[in-house]
Amino acid sequence: MQIAIVGATGNVGRSVIQMLLQKGIASDQQIKCLASPRSAGSTLSIDQHVFTVQEARHDNFSHCDAVLFNTESDISAEYVPAALAAGAFVVDSSSHYRLDPQVPLIIPPVNIDQVTRQHKLYAHANCLASPIATVMAPLHRAFGVVRASICTYQSVSGAGKAAMDACRQEMQSVLENHPAQTTRFPRPIAFNVIPQVGDFRDDGSSYEEFKIIAELKKVVDAQIAISATAVRVPVMVGHSIALQLELTNPYSIAEVQQLLSSARNVQLSAHHYSTPIEVVGSDDVFVGRLRQDPSHPHGILLWLCSDNLRRGAAADAIEILAAIKAVVD
Amino acid sequence: MQIAIVGATGNVGRSVIQMLLQKGIASDQQIKCLASPRSAGSTLSIDQHVFTVQEARHDNFSHCDAVLFNTESDISAEYVPAALAAGAFVVDSSSHYRLDPQVPLIIPPVNIDQVTRQHKLYAHANCLASPIATVMAPLHRAFGVVRASICTYQSVSGAGKAAMDACRQEMQSVLENHPAQTTRFPRPIAFNVIPQVGDFRDDGSSYEEFKIIAELKKVVDAQIAISATAVRVPVMVGHSIALQLELTNPYSIAEVQQLLSSARNVQLSAHHYSTPIEVVGSDDVFVGRLRQDPSHPHGILLWLCSDNLRRGAAADAIEILAAIKAVVD
């Protein structure tokens, strides 16, 4: 299987290549690295393998069996049709196709069975909808989720490599007693939190909040009432989520623990809870602070942590690719 | 009026002294600084005034008209009775007396009218219950709050000066590529978030979460159903709160804005929202991200920021003291 990665030089693109190699899904000979003209001709070293980055063009998807897009919406919108026209399977990480009713939105631990030979284009969900659905879907099947309230504590790596560098530099600058400054975020991120991820929409929600809600509704159940507040925190990698669920049926904490301990890609945190820096490098969602919601008889409160460059990113893309490979073989 | 400050050398104690002087409530001659034997004999410089710190002892509250305790519960438990026995009014910032039905719990923007000549001992609420109640109480009066969900993004200064130094040092160390380490918090705080503030109780809540809920119920209304998740973030000063309220009656965003714009110690944030570093030095609670909750017809979502060394701390103590002075005069 010949695989092209578009956006190969980004945070997630590099993780995808590393995971393809590590999991033995592809050899370095089977991987083609594509990126913007700016990166074309540069080399990319991943685990002793060296790749020459080529420019992503409409005409270089021939001989590709699958193309993974780790790109922003505008790039996906421009190049995905060319990859499909070349006959390739496509896994798109951008938000461009996610809510398209013709395109299956795949959160692998939840609905990987929607990958079929017939469908060529798949979208995967964002790095918050994916871990939340991973925990919420099994609870919904067992107890019925009526309502979900989500508050995020999301890392800067979701905004790219440059944002990580900017966060580090802002921190260093404040530690040297310079005044806080705004670099790549809407407000200073050093020793601060910012309740804005993406632009605001007319209803007052941010685009990130809209995506979380819409993607969860598409994948888990459109009937669930969902609210979200997305907040950027000065963490490099690893998203955390305070999740409040209202269930239809009575439950016990022991039942929920039992259920989640056997759910796909879920781990119960040791020592009450995980923190984002502890889960970096794992494909799983860690669940802690599991407790009765004192504000509702069927309510439950949970604390989720996951590696946002993997779950809802590289891991989801890789698992969808593996499923494609399985149905093609 | 002769005023003693117990815990004068701490984060909040120093703010209290500064505010007493700045607001002209007391001259430096009227202020007596008390602290642990460790600090006794040292000097404290605040705005060109120099104070000699004395040891807090049971027998040095005579000639005090009022004693402000900016101390932990155990210190308050030990010395408050002595201050009362000496005939002084007492304002206690610790959690020791807050839930005592005999002791008025005062959140000044909400219930300062409970300060009377007859009562000698007052507690003020913690630095989360106070800003939340400041916003929630006027909404409750106007629309009826049925349920509240609270997620905090709380700064390290709530844990004291040493915790602020520890956070700074952990950050510096990680920026120098040393591995993350745990210093004064249950987990590393540098580039991390920690969903634990205080010890855990049998029901799975942290002591901080318990305090937020119990204090809000005591001051605003015991009938409101409340859940809370308290999370420490790497911010020096300034607490933020994602607040979700379910109201009895229909409301419009414009009505709520109107109401809050005239509420005591509330400011509507300019440019959609405030961040914690922007509100340092203010006694007010800043409200932004005001929007309809998509998960409930009468639900509303808000983002609160306040200076935790002032609101729910120094400002509350000072305002209670000013009210005592007014009823005594």
Side-chain angles (χ1 to χ4, degrees):
Chain A
M1 209 176 190
Q2 289 293 323
I3 299 163
I5 318 293
V6 187
T9 57
N11 271 343
V12 175
R14 287 171 298 142
S15 283
V16 162
I17 296 165
Q18 188 177 40
M19 289 170 77
L20 283 173
L21 295 166
Q22 282 176 356
K23 290 178 190 266
I25 297 170
S27 68
D28 54 3
Q29 297 301 312
Q30 294 172 297
I31 297 173
K32 190 166 162 179
C33 293
L34 304 175
S36 66
R38 196 164 24 93
S39 300
S42 65
T43 56
L44 194 61
S45 293
I46 293 172
D47 293 349
Q48 275 112 47
H49 302 273
V50 179
F51 300 90
T52 302
V53 179
Q54 301 172 49
E55 185 184 340
R57 289 195 324 267
H58 291 113
D59 62 0
N60 62 4
F61 299 112
S62 53
H63 313 299
C64 289
D65 299 295
V67 184
L68 304 185
F69 283 80
N70 298 110
T71 46
E72 294 296 322
S73 290
D74 53 338
I75 303 297
S76 294
E78 183 166 352
Y79 293 99
V80 164
L84 290 171
F89 283 91
V90 171
V91 181
D92 183 30
S93 74
S94 85
S95 59
H96 189 71
Y97 292 99
R98 286 183 194 152
L99 302 181
D100 184 332
Q102 305 302 318
V103 179
L105 177 60
I106 305 294
I107 295 180
V110 178
N111 63 348
I112 193 74
D113 56 350
Q114 289 186 20
V115 174
T116 63
R117 256 183 112 87
Q118 287 70 45
H119 271 104
K120 285 286 190 171
L121 172 58
Y122 299 92
H124 70 76
N126 79 27
C127 46
L128 289 152
S130 179
I132 296 169
T134 297
V135 172
M136 200 157 92
L139 290 173
H140 186 49
R141 280 191 295 269
F143 302 102
V145 174
V146 182
R147 188 177 173 195
S149 295
I150 295 157
C151 288
T152 77
Y153 300 70
Q154 44 190 118
S155 69
V156 297
S157 55
K161 272 189 300 181
M164 295 171 74
D165 293 340
C167 177
R168 223 177 264 115
Q169 279 157 19
E170 282 191 39
M171 278 288 180
Q172 189 63 59
S173 174
V174 171
L175 285 171
E176 289 163 2
N177 293 315
H178 300 298
Q181 51 183 320
T182 302
T183 57
R184 303 210 35 126
F185 298 93
R187 307 279 167 96
I189 188 71
F191 296 108
N192 205 18
V193 299
I194 308 173
Q196 177 181 6
V197 182
D199 292 331
F200 288 120
R201 294 157 46 87
D202 289 343
D203 64 4
S205 66
S206 66
Y207 190 53
E208 184 83 347
E209 291 157 359
F210 165 76
K211 285 192 291 187
I212 294 169
I213 294 171
E215 294 172 23
L216 284 173
K217 283 177 178 270
K218 179 166 174 176
V219 174
V220 183
D221 188 339
Q223 297 305 308
I224 301 173
I226 307 177
S227 75
T229 297
V231 181
R232 191 79 75 186
V233 294
V235 170
M236 285 294 156
V237 181
H239 285 356
S240 307
I241 298 141
L243 179 62
Q244 178 182 36
L245 300 176
E246 221 175 278
L247 306 174
T248 315
N249 301 316
Y251 72 91
S252 74
I253 292 293
E255 283 175 294
V256 171
Q257 281 175 325
Q258 173 71 32
L259 182 78
L260 291 179
S261 67
S262 60
R264 275 198 61 188
N265 288 108
V266 176
Q267 289 193 45
L268 296 178
S269 298
H271 312 298
H272 294 290
Y273 58 86
S274 302
T275 65
I277 62 168
E278 296 166 63
V279 305
V280 172
S282 174
D283 293 348
D284 292 339
V285 184
F286 290 76
V287 180
R289 301 290 325 269
L290 203 62
R291 62 203 195 275
Q292 198 94 35
D293 177 354
S295 75
H296 194 279
H298 300 171
I300 188 165
L301 300 171
L302 314 93
W303 174 256
L304 278 49
C305 287
S306 62
D307 181 334
N308 58 295
L309 300 181
R310 290 184 165 246
R311 185 50 55 205
D316 293 40
I318 292 289
E319 290 166 19
I320 297 168
L321 181 71
I324 290 170
K325 209 177 157 195
V327 296
V328 170
D329 282 349
Chain B
M1 207 174 192
Q2 288 294 323
I3 300 162
I5 317 294
V6 187
T9 57
N11 272 342
V12 175
R14 286 172 298 141
S15 285
V16 162
I17 296 166
Q18 189 176 39
M19 289 171 78
L20 282 174
L21 295 165
Q22 284 176 355
K23 290 179 191 265
I25 297 172
S27 68
D28 54 4
Q29 296 301 314
Q30 295 173 296
I31 297 173
K32 189 166 164 181
C33 294
L34 304 177
S36 65
R38 198 163 24 93
S39 300
S42 65
T43 57
L44 194 61
S45 293
I46 293 173
D47 292 351
Q48 275 113 48
H49 301 273
V50 179
F51 299 90
T52 302
V53 179
Q54 301 171 48
E55 185 185 340
R57 288 195 323 267
H58 291 113
D59 61 0
N60 62 4
F61 298 112
S62 51
H63 313 299
C64 290
D65 298 296
V67 184
L68 304 184
F69 282 81
N70 299 110
T71 45
E72 294 295 323
S73 291
D74 52 339
I75 304 297
S76 294
E78 182 165 353
Y79 293 100
V80 164
L84 290 171
F89 282 91
V90 171
V91 181
D92 183 31
S93 74
S94 84
S95 58
H96 189 71
Y97 292 99
R98 286 182 193 152
L99 302 181
D100 184 330
Q102 305 302 318
V103 178
L105 178 60
I106 306 293
I107 296 180
V110 178
N111 62 349
I112 194 73
D113 55 351
Q114 289 185 20
V115 173
T116 63
R117 256 184 112 84
Q118 286 69 47
H119 271 104
K120 286 286 189 171
L121 172 59
Y122 299 92
H124 70 75
N126 79 27
C127 47
L128 290 153
S130 179
I132 296 168
T134 297
V135 172
M136 200 157 93
L139 290 173
H140 186 49
R141 279 191 295 268
F143 302 103
V145 174
V146 181
R147 188 177 172 194
S149 295
I150 296 158
C151 287
T152 77
Y153 300 69
Q154 44 190 117
S155 70
V156 297
S157 55
K161 273 189 301 182
M164 295 171 75
D165 293 339
C167 176
R168 223 177 265 116
Q169 280 158 16
E170 282 191 39
M171 279 288 182
Q172 190 61 59
S173 173
V174 171
L175 285 171
E176 289 164 1
N177 294 315
H178 300 296
Q181 51 182 321
T182 301
T183 57
R184 300 207 41 119
F185 298 94
R187 307 279 167 97
I189 188 70
F191 296 108
N192 205 20
V193 298
I194 308 173
Q196 177 181 5
V197 183
D199 291 331
F200 288 119
R201 293 157 47 86
D202 289 344
D203 63 4
S205 66
S206 66
Y207 190 55
E208 184 85 346
E209 291 156 0
F210 164 77
K211 285 191 291 185
I212 295 169
I213 295 172
E215 294 173 22
L216 285 172
K217 283 178 178 269
K218 178 164 176 177
V219 173
V220 184
D221 188 338
Q223 296 304 307
I224 301 172
I226 308 176
S227 75
T229 297
V231 181
R232 190 80 74 184
V233 295
V235 169
M236 283 295 156
V237 181
H239 284 356
S240 306
I241 298 141
L243 179 61
Q244 178 182 35
L245 299 177
E246 222 176 278
L247 306 174
T248 315
N249 302 316
Y251 72 93
S252 74
I253 292 293
E255 282 175 292
V256 171
Q257 280 174 325
Q258 174 71 34
L259 181 78
L260 290 179
S261 68
S262 60
R264 276 198 60 189
N265 289 108
V266 176
Q267 289 194 45
L268 297 178
S269 299
H271 312 299
H272 293 289
Y273 58 87
S274 302
T275 64
I277 62 168
E278 295 167 64
V279 304
V280 172
S282 173
D283 292 348
D284 292 340
V285 185
F286 290 76
V287 180
R289 299 295 321 274
L290 203 60
R291 61 202 195 277
Q292 199 93 37
D293 177 353
S295 75
H296 193 279
H298 300 171
I300 189 165
L301 300 171
L302 315 95
W303 173 258
L304 277 48
C305 287
S306 62
D307 181 334
N308 58 293
L309 300 182
R310 290 183 166 247
R311 186 49 54 206
D316 293 40
I318 292 290
E319 290 166 20
I320 296 168
L321 182 70
I324 290 170
K325 209 177 156 193
V327 295
V328 170
D329 284 349

